[in-house]
Amino acid sequence: MDSGNVAWILASSALVCMMIPALALFYGGMVGSRRILNMMMMCFGGASLVAVLWALFGYSMAFGNSVGGLGLIGDITEFPGMGQLLAADEAASIPVILFAAFQLFFACVTTALVAGAAAGRMKFGAWMLFAGIWATIVYFPIAHWVFAFSSADGSVTGGWIASGIKAIDFAGGTAVHMNAGAAALALALVLGKSSGWPKMEHTKPHSRPLVLVGAGLLWVGWFGFNAGSALSAGQSASVVFLNTAVAASAGLLAWALVERLRHGAATSMGAASGLISALVAITPACGAVSPLGALAIGAIAGAVCSLAIELKFRLGYDDSLDVVGVHLVGGIIGTLLIGLFATDAAPNAVNGLFYGGGVELLGVQALATVTVLAYSFGITWILAKILDRVVGLRIKPEDEMRGIDIAAHSELAYLTDEDPVELGSPHRAG
């Protein structure tokens, strides 16, 4: 084993883990002051549940040998409990169990992303039930499609996107961002709009500094997310690292410019959103493009996503935290633009249309995009509908108006003189 590679993937795994609290801060700052604890608890709770499921059977579903060689789902009986990964494979560059830990946090982050669609109006228990089932029937299968590669000797069959049509998704534009965005849209439609949407004084962002802090920490974590996906500390990781940095910067500037031209001011919320939208877009493309291609993808994502977030007002769905406008749209942009900007000088070594590669790669990327979107949206919508009938998804209207934090957790993030000292929590300090 290569100790340098092991050290880099250990560090990258920690960086991706940091994205969970970073996302909680990012989302938490964007909601009202009496919704922040619930928003953060949805991120932490959903991620923790998925980590448990990953250890029990999720890794096996995602990276086990494909059932029937169809590339649709891994063999759930191959690595139950992951005890089989304790023995070292001396032929591997990094321990397989370390790769399993690295990918665990991808599953956690993806599930936490979906929580943004339910801000302030979904029962916490219903969310936890939804998160566990969603990860099992949506994320784990799609992760197998996208991230599981067939072995060189043919003894292991991978997913149909990774090893069948060979679409490029270096770090999760389809499996993570488009998947989460499509699921968020389906969940938002089933949940319905927040009380008083879209003009809701009680749900306005309560802390823009928290949003910027969360976005900044996400940017740092994203280097582990993208460059860590090279699975080695070498040239590929270095190219991806640089592409991630410059794309994010271009996205922030492009969003700010569009906002300045359209509305007369470049806002802090816009800067944070532009940064994240570009990071989303470069995620699938970071190993396929040059730094100039990364700049183009980041700038396009920042500009287009700044317009896409307004679709919720035109189409009438409540996506208060812009999961659809940023992650769904940004993921589509990054995945499709690989078909244009990919260059064989980059680690993926494939040419897109602008580099003489023709339209074949663009067609492959489009097929992966449409399939993931259709599966994620359709299965999530059905799941949400069933859970709404069985357990109910929405909190009571009066709890929604006064803030879900008290109703769901018996706590408030910020107390005033009018609030009771005790809110029912045994850990509550006076």
Side-chain angles (χ1 to χ4, degrees):
M1 292 189 179
D2 188 303
S3 59
N5 292 342
V6 173
W8 169 236
I9 305 307
L10 283 169
S12 295
S13 299
L15 287 171
V16 180
C17 179
M18 187 185 71
M19 294 176 75
I20 298 168
L23 182 66
L25 289 171
F26 181 70
Y27 276 174
M30 294 175 70
V31 299
S33 62
R34 293 179 175 239
R35 291 180 165 199
I36 178 176
L37 295 180
N38 177 253
M39 191 71 262
M40 299 183 80
M41 280 290 290
M42 290 177 78
C43 292
F44 281 111
S48 298
L49 175 60
V50 171
V52 172
L53 299 181
W54 184 260
L56 294 176
F57 57 81
Y59 175 77
S60 196
M61 288 180 67
F63 291 99
N65 195 13
S66 188
V67 175
L70 299 176
L72 298 177
I73 192 70
D75 185 357
I76 197 172
T77 66
E78 191 169 354
F79 305 110
M82 297 199 293
Q84 300 84 346
L85 306 184
L86 294 176
D89 180 359
E90 297 302 331
S93 175
I94 63 170
V96 177
I97 199 164
L98 174 56
F99 172 76
F102 179 62
Q103 281 290 331
L104 175 151
F105 293 118
F106 277 60
C108 295
V109 169
T110 306
T111 305
L113 284 172
V114 182
R121 62 192 191 281
M122 187 174 184
K123 297 176 183 175
F124 184 69
W127 160 252
M128 293 296 290
L129 183 60
F130 169 87
I133 299 174
W134 183 84
T136 301
I137 66 176
V138 178
Y139 181 79
F140 298 159
I142 292 180
H144 182 75
W145 300 357
V146 176
F147 293 142
F149 290 87
S150 299
S151 61
D153 60 7
S155 60
V156 176
T157 303
W160 71 272
I161 289 179
S163 300
I165 65 173
K166 293 181 170 57
I168 295 175
D169 186 352
F170 196 88
T174 52
V176 176
H177 297 292
M178 279 195 289
N179 185 11
L185 177 60
L187 181 59
L189 291 174
V190 175
L191 273 172
K193 304 168 188 174
S194 298
S195 300
W197 187 89
K199 296 180 180 180
M200 307 173 294
E201 290 296 326
H202 60 289
T203 62
K204 286 184 177 181
H206 85 284
S207 178
R208 286 167 174 79
L210 277 187
V211 174
L212 289 171
V213 169
L217 291 175
L218 282 169
W219 191 1
V220 175
W222 229 291
F223 290 113
F225 197 89
N226 285 0
S229 293
L231 300 181
S232 63
Q235 179 68 16
S236 292
S238 302
V239 171
V240 168
F241 200 101
L242 176 61
N243 283 345
T244 301
V246 298
S249 302
L252 186 153
L253 296 175
W255 188 304
L257 177 60
V258 171
E259 205 172 35
R260 176 69 175 83
L261 293 174
R262 297 185 70 220
H263 306 296
T267 68
S268 60
M269 292 284 288
S273 298
L275 179 76
I276 301 303
S277 63
L279 286 167
V280 168
I282 199 58
T283 293
C286 55
V289 301
S290 69
L292 285 178
L295 284 171
I297 289 173
I300 292 169
V304 174
C305 289
S306 70
L307 304 175
I309 62 170
E310 298 179 8
L311 288 174
K312 61 188 177 185
F313 301 115
R314 296 184 181 182
L315 301 180
Y317 60 88
D318 182 358
D319 178 30
S320 301
L321 307 191
D322 296 320
V323 188
V324 176
V326 171
H327 293 275
L328 175 59
V329 176
I332 293 173
I333 290 170
T335 301
L336 294 181
L337 289 183
I338 292 171
L340 303 181
F341 291 104
T343 170
D344 61 5
N348 284 124
V350 179
N351 281 325
L353 182 62
F354 293 166
Y355 289 81
V359 298
E360 181 180 355
L361 179 58
L362 181 59
V364 169
Q365 297 300 114
L367 176 59
T369 296
V370 171
T371 307
V372 169
L373 290 178
Y375 181 83
S376 179
F377 179 86
I379 300 300
T380 304
W381 189 87
I382 293 170
L383 171 61
K385 276 289 188 182
I386 292 173
L387 290 180
D388 194 32
R389 291 287 184 89
V390 175
V391 301
L393 298 181
R394 289 289 291 260
I395 62 174
K396 297 177 181 178
E398 57 269 26
D399 291 334
E400 187 177 337
M401 293 302 296
R402 69 172 179 157
I404 193 173
D405 286 355
I406 296 176
H409 309 291
S410 297
E411 295 176 302
L412 285 174
Y414 315 104
L415 287 175
T416 67
D417 292 339
E418 289 75 27
D419 290 314
V421 174
E422 290 291 336
L423 296 172
S425 171
H427 307 292
R428 175 91 184 94

